[in-house]
Amino acid sequence: MNAANNSLLGGGGVDGAIHKAAGPKLLEESIQIRNKTGGCATGEAVITSGGNLPARYVIHTVGPIWHGGTNGEEEKLRNCYRNSLQLAVKNRVDSIAFEENAKRDVGIKSLTIV
């Protein structure tokens, strides 16, 4: 799972590293999704191929920006995981890795996803 930005066009940190390693195919697919949907809203998720990565797919999701916990950050983050897992099931993904930093970045120590 890639902690993406709303544009889906890569950015800094892990998102930028994934885009760089995956190569131009990932960027092309991201642009197609962005042109079709306008990007990816916070809490939503989209899927692309893995490009040059050893993974078949990359699931991109946009996590919330922390505003003190009073702006629905926990529910938005829960939706990131839930929507990513739903895409994984729909696409018959055998295994998935989540970037654990997303939880800490918004000040959440534990999160239950139902």
Side-chain angles (χ1 to χ4, degrees):
M1 183 196 75
N2 177 28
N5 60 44
N6 296 89
S7 74
L8 300 173
L9 301 182
V14 175
D15 184 28
I18 288 172
H19 272 266
K20 183 177 180 181
K25 184 171 183 180
L26 181 71
L27 180 59
E28 290 169 17
E29 291 179 36
S30 297
I31 290 170
Q32 289 174 359
I33 293 169
R34 185 173 155 235
N35 289 343
K36 183 177 178 183
T37 65
C40 187
T42 301
E44 297 301 316
V46 298
I47 191 167
T48 63
S49 73
N52 296 332
L53 296 170
R56 276 186 294 163
Y57 303 107
V58 175
I59 297 174
H60 311 263
T61 188
V62 180
I65 296 172
W66 181 251
H67 293 286
T70 59
N71 203 21
E73 295 94 338
E74 188 171 332
E75 185 60 25
K76 290 173 186 174
L77 184 60
R78 186 176 287 113
N79 286 338
C80 288
Y81 286 95
R82 185 180 294 123
N83 290 325
S84 295
L85 289 169
Q86 287 173 348
L87 275 176
V89 169
K90 181 179 177 183
N91 289 276
R92 297 184 174 158
V93 172
D94 296 326
S95 65
I96 188 168
F98 289 99
E99 185 180 348
E100 185 64 20
N101 291 348
K103 240 178 26 183
R104 289 192 307 269
D105 289 346
V106 294
I108 297 170
K109 293 181 181 173
S110 66
L111 183 68
T112 302
I113 302 161
V114 179

